Structure formats: C-alpha cells, structure tokens
Amino acid sequence: METRELRYFVAVAEELHFGRAAQRLAIAQPPLSRAIQQLERRLGVVLLHRTTRAIALTEAGSVLLREARAALDAVEAAERRTRRAAADRPGVVLATKAGASSELLPKLLNAYAAEPDSVTVEVLLCGPGEQERLLRDGRADVALLHRPFDTTAGLDTEDLYTEQQILVLPAGHPLATRSHISSAEVAALTDLPLPRWPRPDGSYPDGPGPQVRDHTQLAQLIALGRACAMLPESARTHLREGHALIPVPDAPAVTTVIAWPPHSRSRAVADLVRTATRL
C-alpha cells in the first residue's frame, strides 16, 4: 500500500462522506472513489458499507483505519526526526505537560546541561495527553508521561517516581477540614463535579463537570466553587491559597515516567534518560 492510498482512506473513513473527504484532500471525488475501490480489490476485503444515504466502516475498515493512522504517523515521525538529525546544531526535544513535574523538570535540565556531551534541550509544554502524541509523531524525542493517565504501550520507559493523589477543593468547602476522603465520596460530590478534559481529537466526554484545557483554568474554577479535581500530590507546589487539599488514599497512584521511541538510537536521548533515572 502507498501512503497516498492510506491518506485517501483515512480521509474517507473519518468523514464517512466521499464529497467531504475529496474536499479535505483537495482532489476530485471520482478519482478518490476509484482509489478506494482499487484498494479494496487489492486487499480482497470490503472496507466500507455504501448505501445511497450513508457510508459506514466494516470491521476490516475499522482495523485499517487504526493501522493506517499509525503508519502515517510513523512516516511523518521519520521525516521530522531525519530533518532534525541533519540540523547544524542537533538537540533533543522534550515534551511535558504544562504544570506537571514542576520539581523534576528544572533539576533534570540543569543536571543534564552539566554533562560533558550534553546538547540543547528544547522543552515543549503541552496540554493533558498531548505529550504522548508529540512523541509518537516525531515532534518530540523524549517525553515525561504519567501513568495511568497516559498510555505508554509501544514506547520504552523508565519509572522515575510514584505519588498519591489528592482532592483539591475550594478553601471554604465543608469537607476542607477532612484528614482524608475516599474515591467514592469524591464521585458523590454533585455540588463540585470533576472536570472534563479533552480527548486526543479535541472533543469532550459527556458529564456535568466543566470543560477545562489547562491547570490554570482548572485552579480558577476550583477557587470559584465550580469544580473539584483529583491531582498528583506534587500539584501542591503550584496551587494557590484559595484551595484545600485532602489525601485520597484509595485513588490509583500516579507514576511519572520518561519515555522514548523503542527504535531511538540517539546518544543524547540515552544520556537524558540516564540523568533522569539518576535523579
């Protein structure tokens, strides 16, 4: 299969409409339809159920959509990493969630900069869940991820540290004086719903909680009495006086890991990982 065919199929599979897919690809609709038909003939499977009113993915089509996205991401990642390797001053791109690992990150950067063969480290501060995508598509060489919130499948990782979660409430809330709280009690706080973070495609899950994009927005909503949040214990360092913090002993622990692509042969990435594990 050619990357062109995969891009054509992904566009049709995501739009579920040949006209919109053709417009998105900036091509005419007839050659797009022919390309999908040729792909189906070559694979010997039906990828799309077509009716006069709608298009739907078959089971085989759903599999190809998932595999095609991964293949196209791999191609784009290879292009980006190749160009970066040819730069006059090669460096390392580190992706991390803004507001997270606030104690580890400066220590890591300073310790690595002191190494004799260190290179420039460009830090990409991103929203929740974005650092994993940046790592997989080649815009980053290494990333700080947080299990269980981030997926590390298919990546090489080293665990750095594990911490418990805390509940963040408005300072004047009746529960603010509690010494601890359970996850079930947190879920029952109808007056302070948990926030809704965006999915990788930008959409938000259904629910009563407010939509949030970053921790600054979340902190303000909590202080205003519009939400509560469960965060890693290290979040204490950047919360304001208007918040109350309560341990949640039965919540899943959060492990910060440093992750990189398994095929990476970068000495700089290896040195950065060794520095992180040493810290």
Side-chain angles (χ1 to χ4, degrees):
M1 291 182 289
E2 300 177 1
T3 55
R4 174 185 59 86
E5 294 176 309
L6 295 180
R7 289 191 177 96
Y8 283 8
F9 174 73
V10 168
V12 174
E14 290 180 346
E15 299 290 343
L16 292 178
H17 191 281
F18 277 95
R20 289 195 298 268
Q23 187 175 16
R24 168 174 153 181
L25 294 165
I27 63 173
Q29 184 173 332
L32 175 60
S33 299
R34 287 195 297 270
I36 300 301
Q37 291 169 356
Q38 291 170 1
L39 182 59
E40 288 178 314
R41 284 196 296 269
R42 189 178 318 128
L43 293 174
V45 299
V46 176
L47 299 171
L48 302 167
H49 286 307
R50 303 166 176 85
T51 68
T52 56
R53 293 186 177 183
I55 295 174
L57 286 171
T58 64
E59 181 63 28
S62 296
V63 171
L64 182 59
L65 176 59
R66 182 172 63 251
E67 298 291 342
R69 284 169 171 162
L72 292 173
D73 284 347
V75 170
E76 291 180 3
E79 292 175 355
R80 290 189 178 105
R81 293 192 178 104
T82 300
R83 292 192 183 100
R84 200 152 58 240
D88 293 337
R89 299 181 63 185
V92 173
V93 179
L94 168 67
T96 184
K97 183 169 61 178
S101 308
S102 55
E103 292 185 7
L104 170 66
L105 187 58
K107 292 179 182 178
L108 172 59
L109 296 177
N110 291 335
Y112 175 72
E115 295 290 327
D117 297 322
S118 64
V119 299
T120 301
V121 178
E122 177 186 352
V123 178
L124 293 182
L125 296 178
C126 52
E130 290 183 358
Q131 68 271 40
E132 178 194 342
R133 185 170 72 252
L134 295 173
L135 182 59
R136 294 185 189 277
D137 71 13
R139 284 178 286 177
D141 301 300
V142 64
L144 296 176
L145 305 178
H146 308 278
R147 291 198 310 261
F149 307 121
D150 299 315
T151 302
T152 58
L155 300 172
D156 282 350
T157 63
E158 286 284 353
D159 290 1
L160 300 182
Y161 62 91
T162 298
E163 56 187 319
Q164 298 303 310
Q165 294 196 65
I166 56 173
L167 176 67
V168 186
L169 294 169
H173 193 273
L175 296 177
T177 57
R178 290 274 297 270
S179 61
H180 64 275
I181 193 169
S182 69
S183 297
E185 289 176 297
V186 174
L189 289 174
T190 55
D191 61 325
L192 289 176
L194 292 168
R196 290 179 291 145
W197 296 97
R199 300 186 182 100
D201 63 0
S203 65
Y204 286 85
D206 295 332
Q211 297 179 359
V212 296
R213 296 180 302 276
D214 55 54
H215 282 87
T216 300
Q217 183 186 28
L218 174 62
Q220 187 170 1
L221 285 169
I222 295 173
L224 291 171
R226 297 295 188 268
C228 68
M230 286 176 56
L231 300 173
E233 194 171 12
S234 58
R236 291 175 180 273
T237 58
H238 56 266
L239 291 172
R240 304 180 303 180
E241 294 182 357
H243 301 112
L245 313 177
I246 308 173
V248 189
D250 66 341
V254 178
T255 300
T256 298
V257 306
I258 188 165
W260 65 97
H263 56 267
S264 174
R265 296 296 180 268
S266 166
R267 179 178 176 180
V269 168
D271 290 344
L272 188 63
V273 169
R274 278 193 291 270
T275 302
T277 54
R278 187 171 70 246
L279 291 174

